[in-house]
Amino acid sequence: MRRSHRSARALRAAAVLGFASFVALVPSSIGRATGPGGEEHQVEAIDNVFAPRTTRIAPGDTVTWTNDGRSPHTVVADEGAFDSDIVDPGGSFSFTFGRAGAYPYHCSLHGAPGVGMVGLVLVGDVSVPGRTSEVGPGREEPPGRPGETVRVPQDADTIQEAVDRAEPGGLVLISPGVYEEAVLVTTPFLTIRGLSRNDTILDGGFELDSGISVIEADGVAIENLTARNYVLNGFLWTSVFGYRGSYLTAYNNGDYGLFAYDSAYGQFDRSYASGHPDSGFYIGQCRPCHAVVTDVLAENNALGFSGTNAAGELLIVNSEWRHNMSGIVPNTLDSEELAPQSDALIAGNWVHDNNNTEAPAKPLQYPSLGIGIIVNGGRDNLVTQNLVEDHESFGIAMLPSPDENLWLTEGNEIRDNVVRSSGRADLAVGGPAGGGDCFAGNEYSTSLPAAIEWRGGCGSWLRSLPGGSMGVALGPLTRYLEAALGDLEVGDWRAQPMPPAREEMPGPAQAPPNPAIAEVAVPQRVQIRDARALDVPASTDVSREVTVLGVPLSAGLAGVLIGLYAYALPLILYSSWVSIALWDLVRQEAVPNRVRVAWMAGVIAVPVLGPVAYYTLGRSPIQRSLRVMLVAGGIAIYVALAAVGVALAG
């Protein structure tokens, strides 16, 4: 349904007000909603799956199911503990779990107990039903010897039957064929392997949730398979200690390709992912992660790699990221635990041509279009020895992440990369930035702010100062507005091109089981290459945009106004606060000199809070209404002017 011009302008104004508050350093803190006695957990009802399928909570927590599909659904406990009746699209149902236990449930319109659209809530420290081990993740004892092999279809008709029959340490060996099933793995230390990577195919038929889901089962390795056409993920590991995905292909799935969440000690290698509206490869909510992504290829995804709140011993190395909307995107969000993201190594990668507007995407991913490597609200990451080229916006960018909290980049080190042929700037720091980000030894042509290796050099004291260019955020802001207004025109994940055949695992029929035993088998040590020396095709020319203070003129009147206000007006306001405060202190001859000197030092030395504290607590003779106008009014005028800038273009 088409929106009216009036409603579109109202939405634009609302979006700009939110962003202007962000750039003016006035972030809001919105507490996560909680149910009676505990936290609230979200589950989506999508046609026709629950996402996530399994949710673990504490006693007293609440689960809220929201119908994000186009059809009505129900949420009915198999054993009668709760019944939602019909939940129409956009509606929700909540239930608070007071007692520990396992609560399987289903949608009565699209399934039955254990069949069709089903889910599971685990309350407290209980095992997944059917699990062979009663101990929790990270405490399971690896088997002393390899287990037996269960062959599909010779010994078991389906992959699920084979997985259920296999013992820890065993091998599930799958013959070529198309398997229309969603496999749930709860047995630890299995190796699940296809005899042909390109011809052993799990197919979700655009109805099933995920190809293979490993839930709280440590040490499961998946090898030499393809997963396609699933509503959620190709391959998924959740809450495990030890995981590996090797020689895997995931394409045209509705969320992620290879996905590891709340898990440690893992590895993705020699794998391929394309056609995902979130990211091809994902490792998130882990601290420390102890994980490696190496020798992979991601293309035609919204993001090549995404890692929300992934921190510590995480290596994204020796891989190619091309023709996604954006390449490598470690990020910080409050929607997952363990914020902020930090301490990742991004090295030896060839990151190029991530400008794909035909790739599938969700609103949260779309703003990053045209950027090679983004550190989004992360800290203390090292980005080095990468070749980053041919991006319409930025090659490598540090950007803040506004969520329930405002997460600023801090302490990231970008050194010894080759970055070229970027539309706006090869290297960029978006304001506000927390300070400590540094740049050294990079081969580049343009940067925002200008002279970035001088102003933010790794040996310079200036790197510790907060800063960044407000104009850097204009492109992501414009795309955020497009998504918020429903103007998002991206590719359909169901219709992305079929990838060519990929490299097969050598000798899959003869190789013994190889479970992902933490600290022994995963992650493996890798030799990081220097991608700057790669023999690759010559870089193409990306059109350079004409900019004013980092704001592209091609953005039009509204874009230029927003960018210039975002860039310049906060600096003008802050300068005014400091100047007027110092002038006011100089003229207060009745105040003892030591008091005036102390206030002057505070106003100069403490950014933002110094002058604000003086106007609030310093007994300034300036009339109270004028002081309020100077601080709060200045911010309000800035927000209003930014909104007018958008309205003028509407």
Side-chain angles (χ1 to χ4, degrees):
M1 183 174 65
R2 189 173 181 179
R3 301 178 187 272
S4 69
H5 290 297
R6 179 175 296 178
S7 62
R9 288 182 179 180
L11 277 171
R12 283 196 184 103
V16 171
L17 288 174
F19 180 80
S21 297
F22 147 60
V23 295
L25 295 176
V26 194
S28 61
S29 180
I30 307 170
R32 181 176 297 176
T34 59
E39 292 188 7
E40 182 179 27
H41 304 261
Q42 301 291 332
V43 176
E44 294 177 280
I46 309 171
D47 304 333
N48 287 310
V49 300
F50 291 107
R53 187 200 300 189
T54 302
T55 304
R56 183 176 288 279
I57 66 174
D61 286 1
T62 297
V63 177
T64 295
W65 290 265
T66 301
N67 186 347
D68 290 326
R70 293 171 292 181
S71 303
H73 296 291
T74 65
V75 184
V76 180
D78 292 359
E79 299 177 0
F82 49 86
D83 187 339
S84 69
D85 295 325
I86 291 179
V87 181
D88 290 321
S92 63
F93 166 71
S94 297
F95 185 80
T96 300
F97 293 81
R99 293 187 300 177
Y103 296 84
Y105 63 90
H106 63 279
C107 170
S108 61
L109 302 178
H110 303 95
V115 179
M117 188 173 175
V118 299
L120 175 66
V121 177
L122 299 170
V123 184
D125 190 17
V126 297
S127 295
V128 178
R131 185 169 175 172
T132 60
S133 176
E134 294 298 324
V135 297
R139 301 191 299 273
E140 294 171 296
E141 189 68 26
R145 58 184 177 80
E148 296 183 354
T149 298
V150 181
R151 293 173 172 81
V152 183
Q154 293 88 342
D155 302 324
D157 292 334
T158 67
I159 301 173
Q160 186 66 67
E161 183 182 342
V163 165
D164 292 342
R165 183 185 299 183
E167 298 293 332
L171 170 65
V172 174
L173 195 60
I174 310 166
S175 294
V178 177
Y179 298 84
E180 297 177 349
E181 52 181 310
V183 180
L184 179 65
V185 182
T186 59
T187 301
F189 303 109
L190 293 184
T191 302
I192 303 172
R193 180 187 301 154
L195 283 174
S196 171
R197 173 180 182 175
N198 299 297
D199 296 319
T200 305
I201 301 170
L202 290 92
D203 193 319
F206 305 115
E207 293 183 354
L208 302 177
D209 59 347
S210 297
I212 299 180
S213 300
V214 182
I215 307 296
E216 298 185 359
D218 294 345
V220 174
I222 307 174
E223 304 170 337
N224 215 42
L225 292 167
T226 291
R228 69 186 184 194
N229 304 339
Y230 286 90
V231 176
L232 295 178
N233 314 294
F235 303 96
L236 164 71
W237 290 260
T238 297
S239 301
V240 304
F241 199 80
Y243 62 92
R244 180 169 54 81
S246 302
Y247 294 97
L248 296 179
T249 295
Y251 72 93
N252 295 16
N253 301 294
D255 214 353
Y256 299 91
L258 278 67
F259 182 98
Y261 175 78
D262 188 33
S263 300
Y265 289 98
Q267 180 170 313
F268 294 150
D269 64 88
R270 300 176 182 86
S271 293
Y272 172 90
S274 70
H276 299 96
D278 205 300
S279 63
F281 296 88
Y282 177 94
I283 294 175
Q285 191 177 296
C286 48
R287 182 185 296 270
C289 299
H290 297 295
V292 169
V293 179
T294 183
D295 195 18
V296 305
L297 171 60
E299 61 183 352
N300 302 325
N301 306 284
L303 315 177
F305 172 87
S306 175
T308 301
N309 301 350
E313 298 297 323
L314 172 62
L315 282 67
I316 304 106
V317 299
N318 301 349
S319 298
E320 183 177 358
W321 315 86
R322 69 185 186 197
H323 305 302
N324 306 285
M325 282 196 170
S326 57
I328 302 174
V329 190
N331 59 89
T332 299
L333 289 173
D334 293 297
S335 56
E336 295 184 13
E337 298 178 359
L338 305 181
Q341 183 278 327
S342 65
D343 298 298
L345 173 64
I346 302 172
N349 298 285
W350 184 24
V351 188
H352 64 101
D353 298 285
N354 292 288
N355 313 299
N356 189 354
T357 57
E358 300 298 320
K362 299 176 181 178
L364 188 61
Q365 284 70 40
Y366 181 65
S368 62
L369 173 66
I371 306 178
I373 299 174
I374 309 170
V375 175
N376 188 216
R379 301 176 181 176
D380 302 320
N381 299 287
L382 175 59
V383 181
T384 186
Q385 294 182 197
N386 302 284
L387 174 58
V388 185
E389 56 186 351
D390 301 326
H391 293 98
E392 295 287 351
S393 189
F394 302 110
I396 301 176
M398 308 289 107
L399 292 172
S401 178
D403 199 3
E404 294 176 9
N405 297 286
L406 176 61
W407 297 98
L408 308 181
T409 59
E410 295 181 16
N412 300 290
E413 189 171 326
I414 297 85
R415 63 164 61 247
D416 302 325
N417 303 279
V418 171
V419 191
R420 61 195 181 200
S421 298
S422 304
R424 294 187 59 197
D426 293 330
L427 303 175
V429 177
D437 296 330
C438 79
F439 298 79
N442 299 286
E443 182 182 320
Y444 70 102
S445 298
T446 56
S447 70
L448 284 173
I452 201 167
E453 291 202 349
W454 175 78
R455 297 174 61 174
C458 293
S460 170
W461 67 270
L462 293 172
R463 63 174 289 195
S464 63
L465 299 178
S469 169
M470 297 296 184
V472 169
L474 177 63
L477 169 62
T478 302
R479 287 184 283 276
Y480 167 78
L481 290 174
E482 292 176 10
L485 295 171
D487 297 334
L488 193 62
E489 294 184 5
V490 296
D492 184 351
W493 63 270
R494 299 169 183 84
Q496 293 298 304
M498 178 179 176
R502 309 303 306 175
E503 176 190 6
E504 296 276 358
M505 174 183 176
Q510 294 77 35
N514 186 17
I517 299 173
E519 302 181 79
V520 176
V522 289
Q524 298 174 0
R525 290 188 177 183
V526 294
Q527 182 70 37
I528 298 172
R529 68 184 182 183
D530 189 343
R532 298 172 297 177
L534 289 176
D535 183 13
V536 298
S539 175
T540 59
D541 291 328
V542 173
S543 59
R544 289 286 176 85
E545 296 192 65
V546 179
T547 64
V548 178
L549 293 177
V551 182
L553 296 181
S554 61
L557 177 61
V560 172
L561 285 173
I562 294 173
L564 292 179
Y565 286 136
Y567 190 97
L569 195 52
L571 302 177
I572 295 171
L573 285 173
Y574 181 57
S575 298
S576 300
W577 294 349
V578 172
S579 300
I580 294 173
L582 293 176
W583 168 79
D584 192 40
L585 285 164
V586 167
R587 70 192 183 95
Q588 291 192 60
E589 298 181 355
V591 177
N593 282 341
R594 58 183 178 80
V595 175
R596 287 196 289 175
V597 169
W599 272 116
M600 286 180 178
V603 166
I604 295 172
V606 183
V608 182
L609 295 179
V612 171
Y614 171 70
Y615 292 129
T616 306
L617 306 173
R619 297 184 180 181
S620 169
I622 299 175
Q623 188 175 349
R624 184 173 180 272
S625 60
L626 295 178
R627 283 182 276 139
V628 171
M629 180 60 191
L630 182 63
V631 179
I635 296 174
I637 291 172
Y638 163 63
V639 171
L641 287 173
V644 169
V646 176
L648 287 175

